[in-house]
Structures are given as C-alpha cells and as structure tokens.
Amino acid sequence: HLFDLLSTTAREHPEAEAFISKDSRCTFEQLHKTSLTIAAHFHKQGIGRGMRVALVCSNGIPFVSAVFALLRLGAVSVPLNWRLTPHELSAQLEHADAAWLLHDEACATGLPSAPQLRTLCIDTGMALLETGPVLPPPPLA
C-alpha cells in the first residue's frame, strides 16, 4: 500500500526531502504528518473507503498531501487537469462519478457548477488543522 510506503520512509528517513518545488519543500516526516491530519479532516467531512474523489489542484504539496490522505482512507483519487475549461471539467466529473470535488484556492474560480458533488477547498492552511488523527483502520492492500 502506498501510504504504508510513506509511513515506513517517514520513520526510517524522517529528514529526507520528499517533495521539492519552485516554491516549497517538505520532508517525509512532514508529508506523513500532514497527510494524516488531512485524512482525519476528510474523514470527519464524510470521505471514506471506496469513494471517488476528484481533485482539481495545481501541482504542489497540498495536492500530494491530499492524494496520500485519500490513500490512507482507502478513497479513490481522480486527479483532473486544472487547466481544463469548466465545460471540459464538467464532462470529466460526470464520467468520473465522483462524490466529492477537492480543489485549491487557485483553481476555485474555474470550477464548473456541480450541485451533485460535495466540494472542499484544500490548501496549505489545511496542514495547520488541529485535528488529531482519529481515523478508521487502514484499508487492506
């Protein structure tokens, strides 16, 4: 399971860099802790095992953390290209049969109207949530 791989790497090499971009960096330990916190927040919102969750986010730590959080919950990540038009995104969302749409602040203005989806904005501020990791058991591989 990919989340187990992140957990193992965070334990064995906590200070090694997991993600480097033009604007930010994070270690495996930081990515692991952030992903657990976000997973707990997603779980509290109602995201769970087997749910399809669309992501419309620019590349960066919030996107990577959200994907690992969804993996931890056993949800299915459906990453969509944030450069698509609202019409193109609407068609992909319909095809994806997603229950949730996660987006970052930068992509919020280009989202299609999708009343059948629950939406949640993710950004670097979500990593500062005070939620303790109250999570369901990890999914089986």
Side-chain angles (χ1 to χ4, degrees):
H1 192 275
L2 285 175
F3 192 83
D4 292 339
L5 183 59
L6 174 61
S7 299
T8 300
T9 307
R11 189 175 50 254
E12 293 176 359
H13 308 284
E15 298 304 315
E17 289 184 313
F19 190 90
I20 302 169
S21 72
K22 183 173 90 174
D23 303 326
S24 57
R25 309 169 93 92
C26 77
T27 65
F28 280 101
E29 182 178 43
Q30 290 168 328
L31 180 59
H32 184 253
K33 284 182 180 178
T34 300
S35 297
L36 282 173
T37 301
I38 293 171
H41 180 68
F42 288 172
H43 178 67
K44 235 169 128 174
Q45 299 301 312
I47 297 174
R49 180 174 286 142
M51 289 183 160
R52 293 172 191 254
V53 180
L55 291 115
V56 180
C57 305
S58 52
N59 297 328
I61 293 172
F63 172 78
V64 174
S65 298
V67 168
F68 274 109
L70 293 170
L71 284 168
R72 170 55 182 83
L73 293 173
V76 179
S77 297
V78 183
L80 301 175
N81 187 337
W82 60 273
R83 291 183 177 106
L84 296 177
T85 67
H87 178 72
E88 292 167 325
L89 282 172
S90 183
Q92 288 191 354
L93 285 167
E94 186 176 321
H95 181 71
D97 195 29
W100 281 84
L101 171 61
L102 306 180
H103 63 87
D104 60 11
E105 289 178 20
C107 298
T109 58
L111 296 176
S113 174
Q116 77 280 12
L117 293 175
R118 292 187 64 189
T119 61
L120 183 62
C121 182
I122 61 170
D123 59 24
T124 52
M126 190 172 285
L128 303 176
L129 294 170
E130 295 295 325
T131 308
V134 178
L135 294 167
L140 301 173

